[in-house]
Each structure stands twice: as C-alpha cells, then as structure tokens.
Amino acid sequence: MAATPLVRTCPIRIISVHLLDAAGRLLRVLFLDREGHISAEPHFVPRAEALILASNQQRVLGPQARVQVL
C-alpha cells in the first residue's frame, strides 16, 4: 500500500492589497474584507472566496496595485 502525501492547506486566507506608485514602489499595504471593501485591518476570508475577491480586485485596480492572497 503506497502512502499518499498529506497536503496541508489552510482553509482561511488574508487578502493583501499593495498600493504602488508610478515607479512600482510600495506606498501602502491594505487588506480586503469578505465583502470586498478595502481596510487597514486584516480580515480572514475562506480560501475559495479569497481567490475570487483577489482576482476581481486586481482587475479593478490594475497596475496601481498588487493583490495577493496570503
């Protein structure tokens, strides 16, 4: 019987929004909440929702930000 690898994934994520200046330098780090609102405090979001919210927010903000799911 072969051992199956254990994949550990956290079901809850934080979405960070890195606001950038025109040269691409970091200006500020903010966070998204579950409703997609930007705030200064981190919020925990279920993984599937976090991926969708981050993708949508990246489209909205474009090159002036880098949205990451942590």
Side-chain angles (χ1 to χ4, degrees):
M1 180 184 233
T4 58
L6 179 62
V7 177
R8 295 179 188 228
T9 58
C10 181
I12 299 176
R13 303 285 192 210
I14 295 173
I15 306 168
S16 68
V17 178
H18 297 230
L19 298 178
L20 309 172
D21 66 7
R25 293 181 301 246
L26 181 64
L27 293 175
R28 190 164 183 197
V29 177
L30 298 170
F31 303 93
L32 284 181
D33 66 11
R34 198 168 183 172
E35 287 79 37
H37 300 118
I38 295 176
S39 71
E41 296 296 320
H43 296 272
F44 295 104
V45 180
R47 184 179 182 274
E49 289 179 36
L51 295 172
I52 293 168
L53 284 169
S55 176
N56 290 342
Q57 193 66 39
Q58 185 65 66
R59 284 188 198 122
V60 169
L61 295 174
Q64 68 187 23
R66 184 174 59 243
V67 182
Q68 299 175 328
V69 177
L70 307 173

